[in-house]
Amino acid sequence: MLLHLLLISSKIPGAFTLLKDFPLPKYSSALSFAVIDIIQDFYVQDTNTINIYQVGKDEKAETKNYDIINEILYHVKLMEVVVRLENFYDVKEVKKKRAHNLIFVDNFQSFMCFFNAISSYDFEFQGFFLIILTTYSYEQYTVMSNIFAFLWNEYITNVNIVWETSENEAIMYTYFPYTNFYCGKSIPVQLNQFSFGKWLQNHSSIFPEKMTNLHRCPLSAAIVLTGPFMSLLNVSNDTVNPDGIDGVLLRVISQRMNFTLKLVLCLDQGMFYENGTIDGAAKLVIDREVNMTIGYTPMSSERNYFMMPSYIYHTSNLIWIVPPGRLLSSMEKLGKPFGLLLWIFVSLIFIVSFFTVIALKFQSKIVQNFVFGREISTPSLNILNVFFGNSLHKLPKRNFARFILGFFMFYCLVIRSSYQGALFNFMRGDFRESHVKTIEAMAKRDFKFHVVKSSLDSVHELPEVMNRISIIERGDFPKIKDKLMDSNYKAGVLGSEEHVAWLNQKETPEKFYHYTEEVVSVFNLCIYMHRQTCLAHNVNENIIKLTNSGLMESWKKKFVDRSYLKLRINEEPKQLDNEKLAGAYKLLIYGLIISFIVFIVELISFRFKCLHRVMINF
């Protein structure tokens, strides 16, 4: 470039006068080489694309920025990395988040000009930012403090600031928001110094990890109490720890990241309304009143847009908790031991038997004696006696008749014994009709669908549900769950399989909560944090370790036993009481009434026969 200027000056009169006023670019400065070294040691190793931006308050400042950028580009041209020079006003045109950035500014106003033009939708705020201050002044420390304070307010922690103190020296600063001496502050800390071509300290990481150890600083978490996922455990009079599947996870993460927990109780995870308002735990996270929220919080696209989700730590099925089927009456229990098909088969055997007897009545006496046996005058009554286990006063003498009778007695013995054994179990139990098992069956019976606000995303594509939906608060569930014990209650509540198993486990054997076999949707639980949070990376690392090691599965089994999803029948012997035998009593009374009516009919029939004979003889 200097040679080019000299050639121009030889052609143009007065060119030397212009050269005196034109500042020649200063190359090979400590600032340039310090930045080049950072690019080589970190950026090239961590990414294949570097984004470079410059902001100057005037043309002179911009020229200096470009001169330094030009020298840096010259030295990194042989590196296997793509360098993208970009106008920060045009970042929205490329829908890709920038993670590895170099920003050249000359003062705080230039810095603010850059950050006011970008957002977390264009830049990965937990990416890496190297800020190069290209103008040195006595207020440099104040400028740096203001920059760090602004960045901490935006939760940007992976940031270093480099500036040149002399031609041969440059200094690099960063800040640690959590230390043994303070919490949540952005005090500048000197990280290293570049002097005469080398760093004075052997740095293990140019961008040190700042969230691995939070030095017992307090972090707040909005929690929603929902068993078995989140509950409270009293450790002492003044200390309460989170418990449950989610509670233990939160507690372990706080131990591994070494921070203390400040719990904020919320009634609901929060809902996003069409008018733009937000409530519940989500509002506290978005407004930065808490650092995170956990407690049966399902992942959704709407929440992901406004907040930062952690990795998924639990997956479950959503089902409808429904009331039980109608309690069977004592008479209905008498017919329940056999299914409909078996009752039809038994009835057909009886019908065929009686029709056979009727048909043989029209045959000769020889045929009747061959089939029924000699002197067997009431074969129809014998069929009933054999079926109910009564004795026969007269047995057939011929082998064929005995053979038929033996097989029929064996058949009746098997049927009668099976029925008696099954009936005994039914008499001891509290058997009901089958409960509704599908959404279609619920809709046909005009059921209401109770859904907690935070779970609306799971059912919004089910028109049969949305037409009958009833939005409830989480605190309303204790009142509704008592109604779910009433078979006449026509409503279902959306819940998870773990929640149903936990309820049954807690309230067995007095209560059992029934549920549909049809799965509504699969939901994934996660921890939600602020969209620009600096905690996400370390929280996710701990979740991965806990899930891969099997600890999450162990905690699930500790708090909920999925075997309680099945109805447990008490196998202990129970005495039969009059209430359970009411059906037998009714059957006896009906039989006696019918017998009495038959007896009266026989008496009347006998009287009419006698009267008829008298009239004939007369």
Side-chain angles (χ1 to χ4, degrees):
M1 185 174 182
L2 182 58
L3 179 61
H4 184 64
L5 290 172
L6 290 174
L7 289 174
I8 294 174
S9 64
S10 63
K11 303 279 185 184
I12 303 174
F16 287 102
T17 305
L18 291 173
L19 282 173
K20 293 179 181 179
D21 299 327
F22 186 82
L24 295 178
K26 180 177 63 175
Y27 293 112
S28 303
S29 65
L31 181 61
S32 300
F33 281 119
V35 174
I36 293 168
D37 196 65
I38 293 172
I39 293 173
Q40 290 176 334
D41 290 351
F42 176 78
Y43 280 90
V44 174
Q45 310 300 324
D46 201 62
T47 184
N48 58 2
T49 303
I50 302 174
N51 307 294
I52 296 181
Y53 308 90
Q54 79 81 26
V55 190
K57 64 179 180 180
D58 51 32
E59 186 177 350
K60 182 178 179 180
E62 288 185 354
T63 301
K64 183 175 182 180
N65 290 346
Y66 281 125
D67 286 340
I68 298 174
I69 293 172
N70 184 47
E71 184 176 5
I72 291 171
L73 292 177
Y74 176 80
H75 286 279
V76 301
K77 63 182 180 181
L78 298 178
M79 300 179 188
E80 296 180 356
V81 63
V82 176
V83 178
R84 182 166 57 188
L85 290 169
E86 193 174 25
N87 187 335
F88 59 90
Y89 288 111
D90 300 330
V91 292
K92 291 181 173 59
E93 296 179 4
V94 181
K95 300 299 181 182
K96 182 180 180 181
K97 282 195 171 186
R98 288 81 171 164
H100 297 77
N101 311 288
L102 274 70
I103 306 165
F104 293 80
V105 297
D106 60 330
N107 55 27
F108 182 71
Q109 288 72 26
S110 300
F111 166 81
M112 289 303 300
C113 181
F114 173 80
F115 267 91
N116 286 336
I118 68 171
S119 69
S120 59
Y121 297 98
D122 310 311
F123 282 76
E124 180 60 61
F125 276 20
Q126 298 316 306
F128 300 93
F129 295 84
L130 181 65
I131 300 174
I132 300 97
L133 287 177
T134 56
T135 303
Y136 178 77
S137 67
Y138 293 105
E139 297 179 353
Q140 208 77 336
Y141 188 86
T142 303
V143 172
M144 179 178 57
S145 299
N146 293 336
I147 291 176
F148 282 152
F150 175 84
L151 292 174
W152 172 236
N153 188 60
E154 298 295 322
Y155 296 132
I156 299 175
T157 56
N158 295 321
V159 57
N160 294 339
I161 296 179
V162 182
W163 79 79
E164 189 178 52
T165 57
S166 66
E167 186 176 349
N168 297 316
E169 290 186 349
I171 194 167
M172 181 164 63
Y173 273 80
T174 189
Y175 76 96
F176 294 87
Y178 299 104
T179 68
N180 286 325
F181 307 104
Y182 54 82
C183 297
K185 294 184 179 181
S186 57
I187 300 175
V189 176
Q190 182 175 331
L191 191 62
N192 212 331
Q193 184 174 347
F194 190 83
S195 181
F196 293 95
K198 64 178 182 179
W199 295 99
L200 297 183
Q201 298 179 14
N202 293 325
H203 48 270
S204 57
S205 176
I206 293 176
F207 289 92
E209 180 58 56
K210 301 174 181 179
M211 296 293 142
T212 303
N213 184 0
L214 302 188
H215 303 279
R216 304 299 298 166
C217 288
L219 294 185
S220 55
I223 62 172
V224 180
L225 300 182
T226 305
F229 297 97
M230 179 64 72
S231 59
L232 295 178
L233 180 65
N234 290 326
V235 180
S236 63
N237 294 332
D238 300 327
T239 305
V240 177
N241 279 341
D243 202 26
I245 299 173
D246 294 2
V248 173
L249 172 65
L250 178 61
R251 202 165 66 227
V252 171
I253 289 177
S254 70
Q255 293 170 358
R256 294 197 170 198
M257 294 179 63
N258 195 25
F259 63 85
T260 58
L261 274 171
K262 179 183 177 183
L263 301 179
V264 179
L265 292 180
C266 293
L267 296 177
D268 196 82
Q269 287 90 354
M271 187 174 180
F272 302 86
Y273 299 95
E274 293 181 358
N275 59 6
T277 59
I278 307 170
D279 61 8
K283 185 177 188 303
L284 297 180
V285 173
I286 294 172
D287 292 345
R288 303 190 182 192
E289 296 182 28
V290 296
N291 297 101
M292 63 188 74
T293 179
I294 184 175
Y296 193 60
T297 306
M299 181 180 289
S300 69
S301 57
E302 195 172 35
R303 289 191 183 93
N304 291 352
Y305 183 80
F306 291 100
M307 297 183 288
M308 173 69 71
S310 70
Y311 290 157
I312 296 168
Y313 61 83
H314 176 71
T315 300
S316 183
N317 295 326
L318 281 178
I319 52 179
W320 292 106
I321 310 173
V322 295
R326 182 179 59 85
L327 186 64
L328 296 175
S329 66
S330 55
M331 288 297 293
E332 287 176 321
K333 285 185 179 181
L334 296 178
K336 281 296 181 180
F338 287 171
L340 179 61
L341 188 62
L342 185 55
W343 276 122
I344 293 174
F345 175 76
V346 172
S347 301
L348 284 175
I349 295 294
F350 268 97
I351 292 171
V352 171
S353 300
F354 283 116
F355 270 101
T356 302
V357 170
I358 293 172
L360 290 174
K361 285 288 185 178
F362 294 97
Q363 302 298 321
S364 64
K365 196 66 176 177
I366 297 175
V367 175
Q368 293 182 26
N369 292 338
F370 179 74
V371 178
F372 302 147
R374 290 183 179 276
E375 300 180 356
I376 304 298
S377 58
T378 56
S380 299
L381 186 60
N382 287 349
I383 292 175
L384 295 176
N385 283 333
V386 171
F387 182 77
F388 289 108
N390 297 328
S391 60
L392 300 179
H393 298 289
K394 288 185 179 181
L395 296 175
K397 297 178 181 179
R398 297 180 65 97
N399 290 334
F400 180 73
R402 287 174 178 267
F403 183 78
I404 292 176
L405 178 63
F407 265 98
F408 187 72
M409 291 178 67
F410 180 74
Y411 158 77
C412 292
L413 176 65
V414 172
I415 294 296
R416 188 173 62 251
S417 299
S418 301
Y419 177 81
Q420 289 173 346
L423 180 62
F424 180 72
N425 288 330
F426 269 84
M427 289 295 187
R428 290 194 308 165
D430 183 25
F431 286 88
R432 300 173 177 271
E433 283 187 343
S434 177
H435 59 275
V436 290
K437 296 182 179 180
T438 63
I439 296 176
E440 183 180 0
M442 294 172 68
K444 285 182 178 180
R445 298 191 186 184
D446 200 23
F447 269 55
K448 286 185 178 180
F449 296 90
H450 295 311
V451 181
V452 178
K453 291 188 297 183
S454 58
S455 301
L456 279 175
D457 288 344
S458 304
V459 298
H460 72 276
E461 293 183 358
L462 301 174
E464 60 269 39
V465 174
M466 297 303 293
N467 292 336
R468 299 174 177 84
I469 197 168
S470 173
I471 300 175
I472 62 173
E473 301 289 341
R474 190 165 298 279
D476 296 334
F477 182 75
K479 301 175 185 177
I480 296 176
K481 76 173 185 177
D482 293 333
K483 297 180 181 179
L484 290 172
M485 294 293 103
D486 184 4
S487 58
N488 296 320
Y489 186 62
K490 292 187 176 182
V493 181
L494 190 66
S496 66
E497 289 180 343
E498 286 78 9
H499 188 61
V500 175
W502 176 76
L503 286 173
N504 290 334
Q505 182 178 352
K506 187 176 68 169
E507 302 190 23
T508 188
E510 290 80 11
K511 295 180 180 180
F512 181 83
Y513 293 88
H514 296 78
Y515 58 94
T516 58
E517 295 179 353
E518 184 179 16
V519 175
V520 179
S521 66
V522 176
F523 76 106
N524 302 310
L525 294 185
C526 65
I527 301 173
Y528 271 104
M529 296 159 279
H530 192 273
R531 183 172 180 80
Q532 299 167 206
T533 184
C534 54
L535 302 170
H537 175 72
N538 297 90
V539 169
N540 287 334
E541 277 194 344
N542 282 287
I543 288 177
I544 290 174
K545 291 177 182 178
L546 294 172
T547 52
N548 290 344
S549 64
L551 284 174
M552 283 300 304
E553 290 298 324
S554 176
W555 295 335
K556 294 173 192 175
K557 293 178 182 178
K558 175 183 176 182
F559 291 102
V560 60
D561 185 354
R562 291 181 62 89
S563 65
Y564 280 89
L565 288 171
K566 297 182 179 179
L567 179 62
R568 296 192 172 196
I569 300 175
N570 192 353
E571 300 295 341
E572 295 182 2
K574 289 183 179 179
Q575 291 182 339
L576 294 177
D577 51 24
N578 289 327
E579 183 182 355
K580 296 183 181 299
L581 292 174
Y585 294 150
K586 290 179 182 178
L587 192 61
L588 175 61
I589 293 172
Y590 295 154
L592 291 174
I593 293 173
I594 293 173
S595 300
F596 181 74
I597 293 173
V598 172
F599 175 69
I600 297 298
V601 171
E602 285 184 346
L603 286 178
I604 296 173
S605 176
F606 179 74
R607 296 268 182 177
F608 270 107
K609 284 183 179 180
C610 292
L611 182 60
H612 181 67
R613 288 175 183 174
V614 171
M615 291 181 67
I616 291 175
N617 293 332
F618 181 76

